[in-house]
Amino acid sequence: MDTKKRILDEALTLFSEKGYANVFVGDIADRVGIKAPSLYKHYKNKRAIFDAIIDEMNQRFAEQAKSMNINGTDAQKDSEIYKNMSEEKLLALGRQFFLYYLHDDYNKRFRKMLTIEQFNSKDLADIYSKLYVDDPLAYQSMLLGMVAQAGMLHTDNVNIMTLHFYAPIYFLLTMCDRDPEREPEALKTLDEHIKQFNRLYGRTK
Amino acid sequence: MDTKKRILDEALTLFSEKGYANVFVGDIADRVGIKAPSLYKHYKNKRAIFDAIIDEMNQRFAEQAKSMNINGTDAQKDSEIYKNMSEEKLLALGRQFFLYYLHDDYNKRFRKMLTIEQFNSKDLADIYSKLYVDDPLAYQSMLLGMVAQAGMLHTDNVNIMTLHFYAPIYFLLTMCDRDPEREPEALKTLDEHIKQFNRLYGRTK
DNA sequence: GTCTATAAGAAGATAGAC
DNA sequence: GTCTATCTTCTTATAGAC
């Protein structure tokens, strides 16, 4: 990886552990294996590093949204996938979603950084809300809505049903970010949550 | 209020908005209406101010836990209170809990400060988990458990039922901390959540 | 692009008068 | 207890050689 990229990578690691203000340019340089002044050949100043991390995330996200093309145009076809989704599949979906977001190094670090910085500007608050509130709810709402349309889940309020699915996952995710030792407990709770969710919304009928 | 207390109050406000590292001793002094050096007559250094805030919270919490004496000793008697709890009462309970934690000035500031600082030390992570994960779950589990024992809610897993009650509330709370403009939306969602919770766990049976 | 040397300024904290 | 003046240290950032 070239130096310019490595700077972003090491900066993200440090920002996610200590927060922007507690990380010094020299700390980042140390981890990259250069001296602080050299870093200024790659980025104008410290803030530019932070901004570049945010920009990179926006790019990654745009690409991901592109590839994740279960987007309504062929909802009819996609619904077939979820029509006969077993409880096992729903469990796997939840666990997969949870473990991916929890362990994926980039996601984890970015989420922790945003958690620390979310109150510093409206822009950062908006990014947090988009990534961890509105987008997951919209995406899962679409999926669960299709399952409901296929008659495998029963509700007159898909959005609340989705909240009931996602909020516990979010809750356990933030708990593990704070205290990784509680992951086994979280995984157990996650399984019980999804099974209970399944029963409550009447998949077996 | 005396100066020593006012310092803690203004410091908490600033820490909750910007985080510890972004607040300067001079900022705190400004808000108190003194000069920075005067502040050192009251506290040894900046960190001592932060520690005093944490200590004060621990005291407040100990008192609250004392007064909140629905603690199992007379659970039999307490269960009477919840035995005939109407949907209206459950709605009110959730809304009251939500609005108190959301708007109470001390709670709000302390929660936001901990949100920012939670990754800086195990101690702070533990306090966060206690205050916003384990204690609410334990308390609400006891309450909902009593309602269930009275036959007003039906489940074979009180802890997951409690998670289903609390996680959406936590989710909406952190959303409003980040973006207060979404409070009306959150309150609407909260009501729908509790009504749906009520239906799912079969209160009308 | 990386280095050493260094400037410039910020922020925490102390000294000592009142 | 509060102030002004000041010290010290830390941190960002620049200058200029290689």
Side-chain angles (χ1 to χ4, degrees):
Chain A
M1 207 192 302
D2 65 350
T3 305
K4 188 154 188 170
K5 266 232 156 283
R6 289 209 53 221
I7 290 169
L8 290 195
D9 192 53
E10 300 295 351
L12 176 56
T13 298
L14 289 167
F15 291 158
S16 73
E17 287 168 355
K18 311 180 178 200
Y20 179 83
N22 288 310
V23 174
F24 312 131
V25 176
D27 297 339
I28 303 168
D30 276 353
R31 291 185 66 116
V32 175
I34 57 177
K35 299 293 177 185
S38 307
L39 198 143
Y40 288 85
K41 295 287 176 181
H42 301 279
Y43 296 95
K44 192 184 136 216
N45 53 33
K46 187 184 167 187
R47 175 53 57 171
I49 297 171
F50 184 85
D51 292 342
I53 291 172
I54 300 288
D55 286 349
E56 196 202 12
M57 181 283 301
N58 279 323
Q59 281 181 356
R60 286 195 192 213
F61 176 80
E63 282 164 29
Q64 194 189 316
K66 234 185 194 172
S67 74
M68 214 165 66
N69 241 343
I70 315 172
N71 56 11
T73 28
D74 17 30
Q76 200 67 18
K77 183 189 155 232
D78 292 328
S79 98
E80 296 294 324
I81 302 165
Y82 301 100
K83 202 177 269 181
N84 297 309
M85 186 186 263
S86 61
E87 169 167 298
E88 288 305 315
K89 264 191 183 165
L90 194 70
L91 266 170
L93 184 75
R95 217 183 283 154
Q96 184 191 4
F97 181 85
F98 182 78
L99 285 173
Y100 173 73
Y101 271 86
L102 180 60
H103 287 147
D104 178 75
D105 207 40
Y106 180 77
N107 270 282
K108 187 188 196 70
R109 288 180 294 162
F110 195 83
R111 183 176 60 248
K112 288 179 71 174
M113 185 180 85
L114 269 190
T115 301
I116 299 170
E117 306 298 335
Q118 64 181 314
F119 302 124
N120 280 337
S121 81
K122 183 78 167 65
D123 279 1
L124 294 173
D126 286 347
I127 293 170
Y128 188 108
S129 286
K130 178 175 165 51
L131 285 182
Y132 308 117
V133 174
D134 298 311
D135 281 351
L137 283 177
Y139 179 69
Q140 290 173 33
S141 200
M142 185 194 64
L143 250 55
L144 293 177
M146 290 192 295
V147 181
Q149 268 197 312
M152 301 292 287
L153 290 172
H154 304 90
T155 182
D156 56 357
N157 192 332
V158 173
N159 289 334
I160 293 294
M161 179 175 75
T162 306
L163 180 68
H164 284 168
F165 185 74
Y166 178 59
I169 295 175
Y170 174 84
F171 180 79
L172 295 170
L173 195 64
T174 57
M175 185 182 84
C176 289
D177 281 342
R178 184 166 46 248
D179 187 357
E181 289 185 11
R182 292 180 76 168
E183 185 180 327
E185 168 199 345
L187 283 173
K188 190 167 163 288
T189 305
L190 179 71
D191 264 27
E192 292 179 33
H193 154 55
I194 296 176
K195 280 179 193 156
Q196 179 81 337
F197 173 88
N198 218 27
R199 260 176 269 140
L200 290 170
Y201 284 98
R203 285 183 54 85
T204 52
K205 279 175 199 164
Chain B
M1 210 193 298
D2 65 349
T3 305
K4 189 152 187 171
K5 264 231 157 286
R6 289 209 52 222
I7 290 169
L8 289 195
D9 191 55
E10 299 296 349
L12 176 56
T13 299
L14 289 167
F15 291 159
S16 73
E17 287 167 355
K18 312 179 177 199
Y20 179 83
N22 288 309
V23 174
F24 313 131
V25 175
D27 297 340
I28 303 169
D30 277 352
R31 290 184 67 115
V32 175
I34 57 177
K35 300 294 178 183
S38 308
L39 199 142
Y40 287 85
K41 295 289 176 178
H42 301 279
Y43 295 95
K44 192 186 137 214
N45 53 34
K46 186 184 171 188
R47 175 52 59 172
I49 298 171
F50 184 85
D51 293 342
I53 292 171
I54 300 289
D55 287 348
E56 196 202 11
M57 181 282 302
N58 278 324
Q59 281 182 357
R60 286 195 191 213
F61 176 81
E63 284 164 27
Q64 195 189 315
K66 236 185 192 172
S67 74
M68 217 166 66
N69 241 343
I70 316 173
N71 57 9
T73 29
D74 16 31
Q76 202 66 18
K77 186 191 150 225
D78 290 330
S79 97
E80 295 293 324
I81 302 167
Y82 301 100
K83 202 175 268 181
N84 296 309
M85 187 185 261
S86 62
E87 170 167 299
E88 288 304 314
K89 265 191 183 165
L90 194 72
L91 266 169
L93 184 75
R95 216 183 282 155
Q96 184 191 2
F97 182 84
F98 182 77
L99 285 172
Y100 173 73
Y101 272 86
L102 180 60
H103 286 146
D104 177 75
D105 207 40
Y106 181 76
N107 271 283
K108 188 190 194 68
R109 286 181 295 162
F110 194 83
R111 183 176 60 248
K112 287 179 71 175
M113 185 181 85
L114 269 189
T115 301
I116 298 170
E117 306 299 335
Q118 64 182 315
F119 302 125
N120 280 337
S121 82
K122 183 78 166 64
D123 280 0
L124 294 173
D126 286 346
I127 294 172
Y128 188 108
S129 287
K130 177 175 167 53
L131 286 181
Y132 309 118
V133 174
D134 299 310
D135 282 351
L137 283 178
Y139 179 69
Q140 290 172 34
S141 202
M142 186 194 61
L143 250 55
L144 293 177
M146 291 193 293
V147 182
Q149 268 197 310
M152 300 292 288
L153 290 172
H154 303 90
T155 184
D156 57 358
N157 193 332
V158 173
N159 288 336
I160 293 296
M161 179 176 74
T162 307
L163 179 69
H164 283 168
F165 185 73
Y166 178 58
I169 295 175
Y170 174 85
F171 180 78
L172 294 170
L173 195 63
T174 57
M175 185 181 86
C176 288
D177 281 342
R178 185 166 45 249
D179 186 356
E181 289 185 11
R182 294 181 76 168
E183 184 180 327
E185 168 200 346
L187 283 173
K188 188 166 164 291
T189 305
L190 179 69
D191 265 27
E192 290 178 37
H193 154 55
I194 297 177
K195 280 179 193 157
Q196 180 81 336
F197 173 87
N198 219 26
R199 258 176 270 139
L200 289 170
Y201 284 97
R203 285 183 54 83
T204 52
K205 276 176 199 160

